[in-house]
Amino acid sequence: MNPGAQHPDDSAAQPLRSDAERNRGRIIAAARTVFGRDGLTASMASVAREAGVGIATMFRRFPTKEELVAAVFSDRMDAYADAVAIALDDPDPWHGFVGYVEAACAMQAADYGFADVLTMTFPSAKELEGRRDEAYQAMLKLIKRAKATGRLREDFDPSDLVLLHMANAGVVNATGDAAPDAWRRVVALMIQSFEAPARGPLPDSPEHDALYQAMLRASPEGPTAPAPDKGG
């Protein structure tokens, strides 16, 4: 047997791999368009139609919606984590904190899908959630520094940023093209409420596990995983 001879299946195998990669790229590009326009409530079938592929092809490439979401938004989660890192580098912690809030909310306003991503959690998307956790740990440092300046109210809790993202996502999705800049006023009002001195006490913040379950329930796969420890 000649080891250099071409196997009868070789000529067919390479085009198949190329086609599969092209289909994957088309699906991701289509999902960016559909999720960016309609949010994560958009169906897998609508993404398949946008990509011009059959639903069976869609599910061969991405068996779950979580996997598709992770592929589509990994770069945006990187940008989100970078926004926190940039804020930490600001010599004025309060200015950095405000800049981070405005940048993150602007990302939500620019992409309805990402507006939803920041209000959900995706347990099976390990890389996406890993980047989110990196951003969260950096955000804790940012909050501590901003409080040390006396500009951020002492009773501010990290969960307040999750609530802000939930509120902002609601405004972004509700106003759409009719009032595309409405989110800016909401975010400005929230930032002013974060600043010291506080005008009055706040109700208790949500329990960590309860807020995690709310984010999990909103995700495409629903409540399928236990909440992590608060420290993690």
Side-chain angles (χ1 to χ4, degrees):
M1 180 176 179
N2 182 356
Q6 187 178 45
H7 189 279
D9 292 337
D10 285 351
S11 60
Q14 184 59 44
L16 178 61
R17 288 194 291 270
S18 298
D19 286 347
E21 187 56 36
R22 279 196 297 272
N23 282 339
R24 187 179 189 278
R26 288 166 64 185
I27 290 167
I28 291 174
R32 286 187 189 277
T33 298
V34 172
F35 291 154
R37 181 187 65 222
D38 303 330
L40 296 191
T41 58
S43 68
M44 296 284 273
S46 65
V47 174
R49 284 194 299 271
E50 180 75 21
V53 301
I55 195 68
T57 297
M58 162 73 75
F59 281 107
R60 277 199 299 273
R61 302 281 76 80
F62 299 98
T64 69
K65 197 172 186 179
E66 274 202 4
E67 291 179 55
L68 179 58
V69 168
V72 170
F73 293 106
S74 61
D75 60 337
R76 282 152 174 81
M77 190 60 79
D78 286 344
Y80 172 74
D82 289 344
V84 187
I86 290 169
L88 275 174
D89 286 339
D90 194 312
D92 181 340
W94 171 252
H95 183 267
F97 174 81
V98 171
Y100 155 71
V101 170
E102 292 175 340
C105 290
M107 290 178 198
Q108 286 187 293
D111 187 320
Y112 289 179
F114 195 64
D116 290 339
V117 166
L118 288 186
T119 69
M120 301 176 183
T121 190
F122 307 91
S124 66
K126 302 301 184 185
E127 187 173 345
L128 187 76
E129 290 302 304
R131 287 296 276 158
R132 189 203 299 272
D133 187 60
E134 287 177 25
Y136 177 76
Q137 296 303 323
M139 188 178 69
L140 294 180
K141 295 179 183 177
L142 181 63
I143 290 170
K144 183 177 180 179
R145 292 181 187 179
K147 284 185 178 180
T149 68
R151 296 291 302 278
L152 180 62
R153 57 187 298 161
E154 274 300 317
D155 58 354
F156 181 88
D157 187 85
S159 65
D160 293 326
L161 285 180
V162 180
L163 296 176
L164 170 61
H165 287 316
M166 288 179 171
N168 192 48
V171 171
V172 167
N173 284 300
T175 55
D177 294 337
D181 291 328
W183 68 273
R184 296 183 185 277
R185 184 174 179 87
V186 174
V187 171
L189 288 167
M190 294 293 283
I191 288 172
Q192 290 181 33
S193 74
F194 296 157
E195 191 171 7
R199 297 293 182 89
L202 292 171
D204 291 341
S205 59
E207 291 291 334
H208 173 78
D209 289 357
L211 196 55
Y212 178 84
Q213 288 300 324
M215 294 175 68
L216 191 61
R217 186 168 61 247
S219 69
E221 304 301 323
T224 57
D229 293 337
K230 188 177 178 71

